[in-house]
Amino acid sequence: MSHSTVPRSRAEAATTEKDPVAPDRATGPRRKRSSGKLSLRLRLRRDRVLLLMTLPAVALVLLFNYVPILGNIVAFQDYDPYISDNGVVSMLNSPWVGLENFQRIFDDSDFWNAVTNTLVLFFLQLLLYFPIPILLALLINSVVRPRLRAVSQAILYLPHFFSWVLVIAVFQQLFGGAGLLSQLLRQHGYDGLDIMTDPETFKYLITAQSVWKDAGWGIIVFLAALAAVPTDLYEAAAMDGANRWRRMWHVTLPALRPVIALLLVLRVGDALTVGFEQILLQRDAVGPGASEVLDTFVWWNGVRNQDFGYAAAAGLIKGVVSLGLVLVANKVAHLMGEQGVYKK
């Protein structure tokens, strides 16, 4: 009997029919990918165009964000930039002082005053400035007419393009000693009011300027998040009998929650940066006691007084604390069920 006429079992016949090109057992089983993922070499080859497109951005980040980190070595030196025309040579030849600059900072009452002013401004801006873009975005999103919505958004977004010099000039014309508010008060028999030079109200003035200038930018971010909410959710909530406030509470705000958590984490990480140029322009009007923050403290000691090691130590403390705040805030976002800046 020939080999082709040998009877086969049903299981062997079914296997042959399903895989007619099955490999010979002598050559071994066919190779399979255990993980189902591409190797690093294949991924680099596949995404080489995208990687080439990102190289300029990566180079800029490395050059302007990571390379300057090496300059933090100045915080442990009595840095003298006049040793050489080359900054690197000056850094290598400056005498080491160890932790002396940090000890001076912790014993400096001006530093702690700057820390106090920075934290007060941060909490004020977090309580008064952060919710305003959300409320304005909800208000604009509720406008039915598209043209009115576009005009309102453009008007609110326009101050974002103004420089701080122009913003402070506008506030000076309104709330300064010779401003519009003071003139109206004098015309009605009251004393004039100069908010721009009052140290007691300076923190509220800074917050109001930040709200007027940058609230429009936050509105765009939240409006973009609202645009991604499916209209089916609103229609289903309306069919269930939910009024406008119920739909906002149960549909709109949950849709904004991931964006709010992300921006809140970033804002907390930026807590010690409350506006350098804005405050520096008004520092002389109210005095350093009310206006000195960490950024102006570093600038005043490093640039004006040329105590570079002392200023670098203050900046290094600020950077380390800011990094810790980002990590803590992101951990809180994870506990709340949000992604935050990065995943777990």
Side-chain angles (χ1 to χ4, degrees):
M1 183 180 294
S2 63
H3 180 73
S4 59
T5 60
V6 175
R8 297 175 298 175
S9 63
R10 295 182 178 179
E12 183 179 358
T15 304
T16 306
E17 290 175 359
K18 291 181 181 178
D19 192 6
V21 292
D24 190 3
R25 294 181 180 180
T27 60
R30 182 182 296 177
R31 293 183 180 179
K32 297 182 179 179
R33 294 174 184 169
S34 58
S35 60
K37 296 182 179 180
L38 296 175
S39 64
L40 178 61
R41 180 180 178 182
L42 292 177
R43 282 183 293 168
L44 291 176
R45 184 178 180 181
R46 180 193 63 186
D47 301 331
R48 61 183 181 274
V49 177
L50 296 177
L51 293 174
L52 289 175
M53 291 175 61
T54 59
L55 279 181
V58 173
L60 288 176
V61 171
L62 291 176
L63 181 62
F64 293 102
N65 292 89
Y66 286 93
V67 173
I69 292 179
L70 301 175
N72 286 326
I73 193 175
V74 175
F76 304 93
Q77 295 178 328
D78 184 12
Y79 179 69
D80 186 4
Y82 304 107
I83 294 179
S84 174
D85 294 335
N86 191 329
V88 177
V89 175
S90 299
M91 188 185 305
L92 295 176
N93 294 326
S94 296
W96 288 85
V97 296
L99 299 177
E100 180 180 342
N101 290 324
F102 295 93
Q103 183 177 0
R104 289 172 53 199
I105 286 177
F106 292 134
D107 294 337
D108 192 351
S109 60
D110 293 336
F111 171 77
W112 293 111
N113 177 65
V115 171
T116 302
N117 291 335
T118 302
L119 294 178
V120 168
L121 286 174
F122 163 69
F123 284 113
L124 275 177
Q125 293 183 7
L126 187 64
L127 295 176
L128 301 178
Y129 166 66
F130 189 77
I132 289 179
I134 303 175
L135 298 176
L136 291 177
L138 295 175
L139 181 61
I140 293 177
N141 190 65
S142 63
V143 177
V144 178
R145 296 183 179 180
R147 180 174 297 180
L148 180 59
R149 182 188 306 177
V151 171
S152 302
Q153 183 178 345
I155 293 175
L156 292 172
Y157 187 53
L158 182 61
H160 178 74
F161 297 98
F162 296 165
S163 66
W164 278 115
V165 176
L166 181 57
V167 171
I168 295 171
V170 171
F171 272 76
Q172 180 68 36
Q173 295 299 320
L174 293 176
F175 305 109
L180 180 61
L181 180 59
S182 296
Q183 293 180 12
L184 290 176
L185 291 175
R186 292 190 184 98
Q187 290 176 3
H188 292 80
Y190 297 98
D191 294 334
L193 186 64
D194 189 3
I195 301 178
M196 301 296 294
T197 59
D198 187 2
E200 298 297 329
T201 60
F202 180 74
K203 50 184 176 291
Y204 302 104
L205 175 68
I206 291 294
T207 304
Q209 292 172 352
S210 299
V211 169
W212 185 71
K213 185 178 187 298
D214 292 328
W217 171 255
I219 292 174
I220 291 181
V221 176
F222 291 111
L223 284 177
L226 290 174
V229 181
T231 56
D232 298 342
L233 297 178
Y234 291 105
E235 295 175 357
M239 292 179 63
D240 291 338
N243 55 21
R244 178 176 296 182
W245 294 105
R246 289 283 184 179
R247 293 196 297 268
M248 183 186 69
W249 184 261
H250 294 286
V251 178
T252 306
L253 289 180
L256 289 179
R257 183 175 173 180
V259 181
I260 294 175
L262 175 61
L263 295 180
L264 188 59
V265 170
L266 296 176
R267 186 69 192 92
V268 171
D270 210 25
L272 303 183
T273 304
V274 290
F276 168 73
E277 184 181 358
Q278 176 190 11
I279 297 176
L280 184 64
L281 291 171
Q282 304 174 86
R283 185 177 185 272
D284 295 335
V286 296
S291 64
E292 193 80 288
V293 293
L294 285 176
D295 286 338
T296 58
F297 179 84
V298 171
W299 177 84
W300 190 266
N301 287 277
V303 178
R304 294 296 298 271
N305 296 338
Q306 297 189 0
D307 195 350
F308 299 100
Y310 186 73
L316 182 58
I317 292 174
K318 174 193 168 184
V320 172
V321 174
S322 298
L323 176 61
L325 290 175
V326 169
L327 297 177
V328 172
N330 201 74
K331 182 64 176 179
V332 173
H334 289 166
L335 295 177
M336 295 174 61
E338 301 298 336
Q339 178 176 340
V341 179
Y342 55 87
K343 296 182 180 180
K344 295 181 180 180

